[in-house]
Amino acid sequence: MAAKDRGRGPLVADKRYSSSRAAPSGGGPRKPAPPKDPRAPRKRVRAARPRRQHGLIVGLILAVWRVIWGIAWRGSAMGALILGGFVWYYHAQLPELEAVVDGRARGSVTMLDREGEVFAWRGETFGGMVTAESVSPYLHDAVVATEDRRFYWHFGISPRGIASAIRINLSEGRGPFEGNGGSTITQQTAKLLCLGVQWDPTQWKSEADYEKDCRTGGIWRKLKEVPFAMAMEVKYSKEEILTIYFNRAYLGAGARGFEAAAQRYFGKSAKDVSAAEAAMLAGLLKAPSTFAPTASLDRAQNRAAVVVGLMEEQGYLTKAEADEARANPAVLSKAAKQKAGGYFADWVMETTPDYLARDTTEDVVIETTLDQDIQKKAEEALTWIFENKVKAGSEAQAAIVVMSADGAVRAMVGGRNTPNAGDFNRATQALRQTGSTFKPFIYAVAMDLGYSPLDFVEDTPMCIYTAGSGDWCPQNYDKEFKGQITLTQALAESRNIPAVRVSEAVGRDLVKQVATDFGLAQNFADGPALALGVSESTLIDMTGAFAGILNGGSSVAPYGFDSLKLKGMDEPLFGAGGGIGERVISEKAAHALTYMMTEVLNSGTGGRARLDDREAAGKTGTTQSARDAWFVGFTADYVVGVWMGYDDNRPLTGVTGGGLPAEIWHEVMVRINEGVEAKPLIKDIPDSTYAPVGGSDGAIAAEDVPYFEDPNAPVFDGEQYQDLPPDAYSAPLPEDVPVIDGPPPEGAVMEGPVEGARNDLVDQLLDDVLGN
């Protein structure tokens, strides 16, 4: 059995059994093992390998993470140290609060009218320091609600705000830091402080360049802005940061800070503004020039409504308060609404020393002669004439000056459009030929030499030889001659030949001297055409010269300010800038000339300027080819000068001084004399001391002069000479008032451009070289 057993090889494992499985302990045949899945061993091998690989990957990731984390925390620590260093550096540089509230490099000029009301500002005004605690609570809350609702919960920067701004910028096709910046109030204040960079006139050409550089964006500016803003949070409290912001923010129309803006737009302190006014002021922060109520009140009110909605949404206003603010939006103060005196303010700045005007480092207050009511009426009169008497689309310009007899300017209109600061002022800057408005100064010389308004002069053809040019033969506008006429008729009808005869008779040098002394020294022509107004002057100088006639013959220096003070001072640095000067002609001569000039309106070329309720005197003027048309005249209270023409000096069509300029003058005078008691002009009509040509009985008395036929001719009542009958003032004006390109009224006495007169020095030189 043993051999047999050995032969069977009991030690050889049956292939059906696993070599690792032991035989049953009880001996006997083994039960066959259950069949195995032949893939099982291979599957076990495959399952084990991923577990090993997973462990390797995890280990690798952990190792890399440890490296990254090590770099990150070390880098963060280093960055924090660097940031902290910059914060510390900027913190050490920041001054105390009081030193940074006024951010202007220069001072400002505030102008007061004759009643002491503010009407204009120049430069950036600073209304004085206000604090976050002293301003109106509505204003405090409006700024926070609009600019930085999380202001009290961040430390100078708002990552959420920056991320939102980047998203908006990218969605609108801009760079990540172009456009919306996501800046907090602290960051905006940091920009207002120019990140600590001080104004240096040697580094920047102007303050505008300096501020432009301060406002530039970009990644590097943002990186610098962050530590500076954080340093401010360390240096100042939240309310102190708001205080700086309230005082340095630019809010349009030259207003720096909320106090100046509240005064500028509403005529009140920032401490007293209502919810609607506060919303409008806060709305300016987005775009001061765009949303300034002086630029567009509707746009400013719409923006304010958005701010009111934000205040209501964030709980700063109840629904009732918000509804009230929306229903009654803020409106401009009277001074801001009128926009009065822009040209006048520019002129005052021009006549004030630069170190107290454009270049002042102090805040200056100028008390001026402006009357805002008269200014408004003058502007309205000009607008009415152009809307009702001038063809639509006309590019013709006009200017107006209103002054008192002492030269105090009460109103000034330098052009048809509302001016921006620095616009061309046609009342003070335009040198134009004066035409026949120069003639009163010829007759002023004659009156001062003893002539009478009732003396005669020849209105007959004449020629005067001039060296190098030959004979010069002036013409009257109507190409007619009236023979012997009085000086009064000659001036009233603006006849050219009599004016030349009188000028030649009294002497051109005297005429120039009197005109110069009255303020018209502007390169007078040398030839006989001097009498016809070929020399140039400005409207304000011409008006001032006529004021000299009204005040009795003394020169006048037109002036616009009564006193100039530094803000906070009681004593003025300067007094009035002009006034009545030296006597030029006698009072008797001035009063005689006044009489002659009243006849210009009563029976001469100025009929359209005649006033129904008071005496007035004046003179029309039209230059060569009607390039300039004038009317200058006065009542007992005011002198008004009007000029009309084109800026490019092209001729007017169908316009003379007795037309539209006289009508503008009339409209101005009617409006500004409303409620003013009518006073007579002081006139004197001395008897003639010269016999007329061909006469035989010597001197002529006033009552014996054969005056030209006119319903308003002077009469003698047996005791004194009366220049007008009692009902003369009620004489109706022509109803057929022309527009540009239209004819004059039927029967009007015409006055027009000089024919045959040389225009200026250039024309004279050309005549000398080329002949006539």
Side-chain angles (χ1 to χ4, degrees), residues 583-640:
R583 175 162 297 283
V584 180
I585 59 175
S586 68
E587 282 190 339
K588 184 176 181 180
H591 297 159
L593 182 58
T594 298
Y595 159 71
M596 296 173 70
M597 293 170 66
T598 61
E599 289 308 311
V600 174
L601 279 70
N602 296 331
S603 55
T605 59
R608 289 197 186 109
R610 191 185 309 151
L611 302 174
D612 294 336
D613 64 340
R614 68 194 66 224
E615 287 185 305
K619 185 66 188 77
T620 57
T622 311
T623 64
Q624 183 86 3
S625 301
R627 289 183 172 89
D628 304 276
W630 302 70
F631 192 93
V632 186
F634 50 82
T635 61
D637 296 288
Y638 298 111
V639 188
V640 175

Side-chain angles (χ1 to χ4, degrees), residues 120-139:
W121 298 260
R122 289 296 183 268
E124 290 187 355
T125 57
F126 179 66
M129 180 178 173
V130 293
T131 67
E133 292 84 3
S134 66
V135 298
S136 163
Y138 294 121
L139 181 57

Side-chain angles (χ1 to χ4, degrees), residues 498-585:
V500 174
R501 289 189 185 278
V502 174
S503 175
E504 295 299 298
V506 301
R508 297 174 207 160
D509 289 342
L510 272 180
V511 173
K512 291 180 183 179
Q513 184 62 52
V514 167
T516 298
D517 291 347
F518 270 123
L520 300 181
Q522 295 288 350
N523 298 320
F524 293 116
D526 290 326
L530 166 74
L532 304 183
V534 297
S535 303
E536 295 177 331
S537 181
T538 61
L539 177 61
I540 191 168
D541 287 344
M542 183 61 74
T543 309
F546 275 60
I549 299 171
L550 173 61
N551 70 35
S554 295
S555 64
V556 160
Y559 67 100
F561 67 82
D562 282 322
S563 69
L564 184 150
K565 306 175 183 177
L566 296 182
K567 190 173 183 179
M569 294 181 60
D570 295 328
E571 294 298 321
L573 296 179
F574 293 97
I580 296 178
E582 300 293 327
R583 175 162 297 283
V584 180
I585 59 175

